[in-house]
Amino acid sequence: MQHLRISVAVLASLLAGAFAQDQTIQFGGVARHFILHAPTGLSKPPVVFVLHGSGMTGAQMVTNTKMDAVADKEKFLAVYPNGINNSWQTAPATDFEFLLAIVDTLDVRYHIDRERVYVSGFSQGGVMAYHAACRYADKFAAVAPVSGRIQETCVPKRTIPLLAIFGTSDVLTPDAFMKDLGIIADFDGCPKTPAITRPYPAGNASSVVTHMEFGPCKDGIAVWADSIKGGPHEWPMDTKTKMNGSEEVWGFFKQWTLHGAATSARPLPGDKRARISAAYAAGAFRLDGVEPGVRIRILDLQGRVVFEAKARAGEIPFRSKTSGVYRLVADGNGWTVSALMPVVP
């Protein structure tokens, strides 16, 4: 990596606890810029890169993705770098090291969780996201290209959790996007046939999104895709017929670390009245906040129910099962919550 010098003004701002939106670092003898959104109340935060498309800026990605709102709710750093002349350089002088320099810069002030650094991007930014995850799979925990494709080949250092989002009326064909998805899915050792949810989200009958889940793959990870019928070259944000792309990206990211599926207990998304959390350890799921009589289902990533019962105590035996990632679903009175959970017998 090239030598990094942090400007005095930026360092003073970081150490003072402020989060000036426009940040500048000297990298490779050039002043490089990025926009940083740092929510209050951070503690060892994850980092999410949101990379712009060709001819765009980080500021446009702030506006188009509204990722700041997700960061505020979920407590992660949202970073919007700028490419030189509004474009990304992949060779011979690459911008990947620029992203890693930003990671080092953020660690000075925020003591980030280096196990949870993620990269997403739109169009050419999606290309960058693919390649950053491939070249630096030991640095980025998961990747989510939106309307972006693979434009080079490499051999990653580990399996890569991937979410790809694209429209069927994009400038490229759905087959092209699925070909790239297949490259990663094959490398990750995923099943050839995905579990399909249509419409997606399942509760929105007006949605034109088809959601595909390939998994469980090697190391318990998953590869997902959201195909938007009639969708153009865009970062989707229409929740009436599509979905909030930024919430979708973070919902995928937060499941993964550099070492596979997150293993700590965490809240299950869904109805806020259901204060449920779950964790897996020593051959059992342990549940908190589950009322007696709540129906519990455990599904594999093919959508097959492998366990079903009504909750009694706060523990569900789950021994003699194949290691991987399972979906835990709790159905209460008028509400349903679910989450992916790693299982390592």
Side-chain angles (χ1 to χ4, degrees), residues 8 22 39 100 147 196 233 237 270 287 294 323 330:
V8 174
D22 296 304
L100 298 180
S147 293
I196 294 177
H233 195 62
M237 291 296 288
L287 307 177
V294 169
S323 63

Side-chain angles (χ1 to χ4, degrees), residues 326-341:
Y326 292 80
R327 185 177 296 278
L328 177 68
V329 181
D331 296 303
N333 183 17
W335 53 264
T336 298
V337 293
S338 70
L340 292 179
M341 300 293 296

Side-chain angles (χ1 to χ4, degrees), residues 125-306:
V127 174
M128 275 287 291
Y130 260 125
H131 296 175
C134 187
R135 293 189 190 189
Y136 298 96
D138 58 334
K139 305 294 184 183
F140 298 103
V143 58
V146 179
S147 293
R149 287 208 60 197
I150 296 174
Q151 292 185 352
E152 68 174 18
T153 58
C154 74
V155 180
K157 295 181 179 179
R158 66 176 184 92
T159 51
I160 303 171
L162 167 73
L163 164 65
I165 300 175
F166 58 87
T168 62
S169 296
D170 204 321
V171 293
L172 297 170
T173 66
D175 286 346
F177 289 111
M178 290 301 294
K179 179 182 178 181
D180 291 343
L181 188 79
I183 291 172
I184 302 299
D186 286 346
F187 177 82
D188 287 347
C190 302
K192 297 295 184 183
T193 303
I196 294 177
T197 303
R198 183 192 302 118
Y200 178 80
N204 180 9
S206 299
S207 173
V208 296
V209 180
T210 296
H211 178 73
M212 293 166 274
E213 295 188 12
F214 295 82
C217 312
K218 288 188 301 185
D219 304 322
I221 69 163
V223 171
W224 290 7
D226 290 330
S227 173
I228 303 170
K229 184 178 180 180
H233 195 62
E234 67 170 358
W235 183 289
M237 291 296 288
D238 174 13
T239 57
K240 292 182 179 179
T241 60
K242 303 171 186 176
M243 74 284 189
N244 182 315
S246 298
E247 291 183 352
E248 181 78 351
V249 165
W250 173 248
F252 182 76
F253 279 166
K254 68 180 181 180
Q255 301 173 50
W256 313 106
T257 74
L258 280 177
H259 293 91
T263 56
S264 59
R266 58 190 182 279
L268 303 178
D271 193 311
K272 292 182 179 179
R273 292 172 296 170
R275 304 292 182 180
I276 297 174
S277 63
Y280 179 86
F285 284 104
R286 289 177 172 79
L287 307 177
D288 292 317
V290 177
E291 299 287 338
V294 169
R295 187 167 66 114
I296 303 295
R297 289 175 294 149
I298 299 175
L299 295 75
D300 64 20
L301 289 185
Q302 301 298 324
R304 297 170 297 204
V305 177
V306 298

Side-chain angles (χ1 to χ4, degrees), residues 27 30-33 52 81-89 93 95 98 124:
F27 178 76
V30 179
R32 299 297 301 269
H33 306 278
H52 64 71
N82 282 316
I84 295 176
N85 296 323
N86 307 115
S87 184
W88 295 108
Q89 300 179 23
D95 278 331
F98 169 48
Q124 191 194 34

